[in-house]
């Protein structure tokens, strides 16, 4: 059976195999998002400097993703295929970095490993987005991205809970002599192993289809060979971006400012607002760190469940309407954390954030895939990442100043700002052109 684009309709288990690697990738991201601020704080970093340390992930993505996308578009190996070589190499390097991160003994060491970790994650993650466009026709693309979101959600649930799980197993959660707690160390070791094994599963079970005209592909490879031509192509693509991509850029800008504020400041916000401490060496602060891991697990679990509901809602309404609604719910939920001082009630806004996260990982990519030329899918997915990392860089440069001088050093107010930004992103979604929407045709 063929789709409208002549690509075969894949079975549930084929979608499963090609997406399972994202379970591992999300282990890396979730451990990073829930624990990096905690690690830096435990090692003695000034809270005002935390956004600067978090510049590593977006700057790395800014440099790596378009290059990896371009290279994977122009790669073909008879055994490894097009995208899978990058899956494998990135997973191997990321797993090594995950083992190194909790053994950092100084802030500068943790900062260097964070650069290495995020660079490696980007190498393996970027081709996964293009993989969906390669293998699936328009009728299955939303389902393909939803399956990735499912694994992202469950990977983040388990990874975020790991420090709490190890605490319940009797592992020490106390930093001794300024070192990273054993609960965090063992979590990163587990994450490193799972990252590699999950990506390896996809590498071994998901096959890739060679180019229709191999001779023409090889001729194009020879024509585009060389660093100068590669840079020209990479930079020139910005001028030729599809209109839909430009419109989604504004949505992504405000969305990712909100997410970056949440990832940087939730541990410190909950430590101050609920546990009554800003001392990173205290047991209370480390307990706040564990609780934030559980909160992040809740929003990730909700996103995994919502991933399969959103495509149904999108067929009933539109992808734009679903994304706008989810971002609005997430923004209001993030804003509400300011008023919550009960540990259990903190899980309620995470439900709304999880609904937004499911849509963030699914709808923009599904909308974008329908507007991209097939032979440049990897490159443009990499360029699209610019509109994720640029707001993160802006956040890294400005959120510390805003938190200190606008909000009197109270990080929970920065979470409120993130909520406002997410609602704004929802409103901007209405201006996006979706080629799958009958009204846009």
């Amino acid at each position: 059976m063929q789709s409208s684009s002549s690509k075969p309709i894949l079975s549930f288990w084929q979608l499963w195999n090609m997406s399972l690697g994202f379970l591992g990738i999300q282990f890396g991201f979730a451990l990073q998002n829930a624990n990096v601020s905690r690690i830096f704080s435990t090692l003695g970093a000034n809270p005002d400097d935390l956004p600067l340390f978090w510049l590593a992930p977006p700057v790395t993505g800014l440099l790596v993703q378009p290059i990896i996308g371009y290279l994977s578009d122009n790669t073909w190996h008879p055994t490894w295929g097009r995208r899978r070589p990058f899956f494998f190499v990135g997973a191997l390097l990321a797993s090594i970095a995950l083992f190194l991160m909790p053994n950092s003994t100084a802030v500068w060491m943790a900062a260097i490993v964070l650069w290495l970790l995020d660079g490696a994650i980007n190498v393996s993650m970027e081709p996964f987005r293009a993989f969906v466009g390669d293998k699936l026709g328009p009728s299955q693309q939303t389902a393909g991205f939803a399956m990735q979101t499912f694994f992202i959600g469950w990977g983040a649930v388990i990874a975020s809970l790991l420090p709490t799980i190890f605490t319940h197993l009797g592992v020490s959660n106390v930093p001794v002599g300024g070192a990273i707690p054993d609960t965090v160390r063992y979590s990163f070791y587990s994450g490193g192993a799972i990252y590699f094994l999950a990506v390896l599963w996809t590498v071994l079970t998901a096959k890739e289809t060679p180019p229709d005209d191999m001779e023409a592909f090889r001729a194009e490879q020879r024509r585009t060979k060389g660093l100068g031509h590669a840079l020209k192509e990479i930079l020139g693509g910005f001028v030729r971006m599809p209109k839909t991509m430009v419109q989604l850029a504004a949505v992504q800008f405000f969305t990712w400012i909100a997410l970056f504020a949440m990832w940087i400041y939730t541990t410190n916000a909950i430590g101050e607002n609920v546990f009554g401490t800003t001392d990173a060496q205290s047991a209370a602060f480390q307990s706040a760190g564990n609780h934030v891991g559980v909160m992040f697990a809740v929003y990730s679990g909700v996103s995994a469940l919502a991933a399969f509901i959103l495509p149904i809602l999108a067929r009933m309404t539109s992808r734009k309407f679903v994304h706008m609604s989810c971002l609005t719910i997430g923004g209001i939920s993030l804003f509400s954390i300011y008023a919550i001082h009960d540990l259990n009630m903190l899980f309620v806004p995470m439900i709304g954030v999880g609904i937004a996260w499911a849509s963030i990982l699914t709808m923009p990519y599904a909308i974008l895939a329908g507007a991209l030329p097939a032979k440049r899918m990897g490159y443009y997915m990499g360029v699209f990442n610019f509109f994720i990392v640029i707001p993160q860089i802006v956040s890294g440069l400005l959120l510390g100043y805003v938190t200190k001088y606008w909000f009197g050093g109270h990080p929970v107010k920065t979470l409120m700002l993130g909520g406002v930004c997410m609602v704004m992103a929802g409103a901007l979604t209405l201006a996006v052109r979706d080629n799958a929407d009958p009204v846009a045709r």
Side-chain angles (χ1 to χ4, degrees):
M1 183 177 182
Q2 302 291 313
S3 74
S4 60
S5 66
S6 78
K7 294 180 181 178
I9 298 294
L10 301 190
S11 69
F12 174 86
W13 291 112
Q14 287 174 309
L15 292 175
W16 178 282
N17 288 337
M18 67 180 282
S19 302
L20 182 66
F22 243 116
L23 176 78
I25 291 173
Q26 194 58 30
F27 259 81
F29 265 128
L31 287 169
Q32 173 182 291
N33 293 341
N35 295 284
V36 162
S37 286
R38 176 182 184 179
I39 289 172
F40 280 124
S41 296
T42 302
L43 293 174
N46 188 320
D48 296 334
D49 294 333
L50 286 179
L52 297 177
F53 294 120
W54 273 86
L55 282 173
V59 170
T60 305
L62 192 69
L63 299 172
V64 171
Q65 289 226 12
I67 295 172
I68 294 299
Y70 176 83
L71 292 176
S72 68
D73 281 343
N74 292 280
T75 294
W76 180 259
H77 187 277
T79 302
W80 287 88
R82 171 175 288 165
R83 314 295 181 185
R84 289 178 295 152
F86 299 91
F87 298 168
F88 181 81
V89 172
L92 179 62
L93 296 175
S95 297
I96 293 171
L98 284 167
F99 276 85
L100 293 175
M101 186 71 183
N103 289 298
S104 301
T105 56
V107 171
W108 65 267
M109 291 177 62
I112 291 174
V113 176
L114 180 58
W115 279 85
L116 296 175
L117 173 60
D118 208 79
I121 290 175
N122 275 286
V123 170
S124 56
M125 182 189 71
E126 156 53 32
F128 262 99
R129 297 296 190 190
F131 202 38
V132 172
D134 290 343
K135 293 180 68 68
L136 303 179
S139 65
Q140 279 198 301
Q141 284 175 353
T142 302
F145 287 116
M147 182 67 82
Q148 287 188 353
T149 302
F150 171 79
F151 281 116
I152 289 170
W154 283 112
V157 168
I158 300 169
S160 299
L161 286 174
L162 281 177
T164 299
I165 292 171
F166 281 117
T167 299
H168 288 310
L169 292 175
V171 178
S172 173
N173 190 50
V174 178
V176 178
I180 307 303
D182 287 344
T183 52
V184 177
R185 289 197 300 114
Y186 294 167
S187 297
F188 273 72
Y189 298 161
S190 302
I194 293 170
Y195 193 128
F196 182 75
L197 293 173
V199 173
L200 184 63
W201 179 276
T202 291
V203 169
L204 296 177
T205 62
K207 304 305 179 184
E208 296 186 74
T209 304
D212 293 332
D213 188 337
M214 184 59 73
E215 276 301 313
F217 179 79
R218 295 299 186 197
E220 180 69 12
Q221 279 186 314
R222 291 190 292 270
R223 186 184 70 81
T224 59
K225 190 175 182 180
L227 179 61
H229 189 278
L231 291 175
K232 180 180 177 182
E233 286 288 305
I234 290 171
L235 296 175
F238 286 96
V239 180
R240 299 186 294 272
M241 282 191 299
K243 185 176 180 180
T244 296
M245 192 178 202
V246 176
Q247 294 166 338
L248 281 169
V251 178
Q252 295 291 84
F253 182 84
F254 288 101
T255 298
W256 285 87
I257 283 182
L259 291 171
F260 216 52
M262 180 179 73
W263 292 332
I264 294 173
Y265 283 111
T266 300
T267 296
N268 294 70
I270 300 307
E272 180 184 27
N273 210 44
V274 180
F275 285 80
T277 182
T278 58
D279 179 9
Q281 297 298 320
S282 67
F285 186 90
Q286 297 300 327
S287 295
N290 276 11
H291 194 74
V292 169
V294 180
M295 290 168 61
F296 282 15
V298 169
Y299 90 68
S300 299
V302 170
S303 75
L305 298 175
F308 293 109
I309 300 173
L310 296 185
I312 298 172
L313 296 176
R315 286 195 295 271
M316 294 171 59
T317 55
S318 71
R319 293 188 291 207
K320 286 168 48 176
F321 178 80
V322 168
H323 196 48
M324 180 272 293
S325 301
C326 291
L327 290 177
T328 301
I329 291 169
I332 294 171
S333 299
L334 191 58
F335 188 93
S336 71
I337 291 176
Y338 172 78
I340 299 175
H341 301 278
D342 177 81
L343 286 178
N344 293 324
M345 285 299 295
L346 283 171
F347 297 130
V348 176
M350 291 297 102
I351 296 173
V353 171
I355 292 170
W357 183 232
S359 188
I360 290 165
L361 295 173
T362 304
M363 293 304 160
Y365 296 99
I367 293 170
L368 182 64
L372 296 180
K375 68 178 184 179
R376 315 248 1 236
M377 187 72 68
Y379 165 70
Y380 274 119
M381 284 292 181
V383 170
F384 191 55
N385 188 63
F386 273 47
F387 308 121
I388 294 174
V389 301
I390 289 173
Q392 291 183 2
I393 292 171
V394 171
S395 298
L397 293 173
L398 296 182
L399 284 183
Y401 177 88
V402 169
T403 303
K404 182 176 182 179
Y405 294 104
W406 289 15
F407 301 148
H410 299 296
V412 72
K413 294 184 179 179
T414 309
L415 299 188
M416 296 171 66
L417 175 64
V420 172
C421 288
M422 193 171 286
V423 172
M424 292 174 62
L428 289 168
T429 303
L430 298 177
V432 175
R433 176 186 176 90
D434 184 356
N435 290 340
D437 189 343
V439 177
R441 295 175 183 170

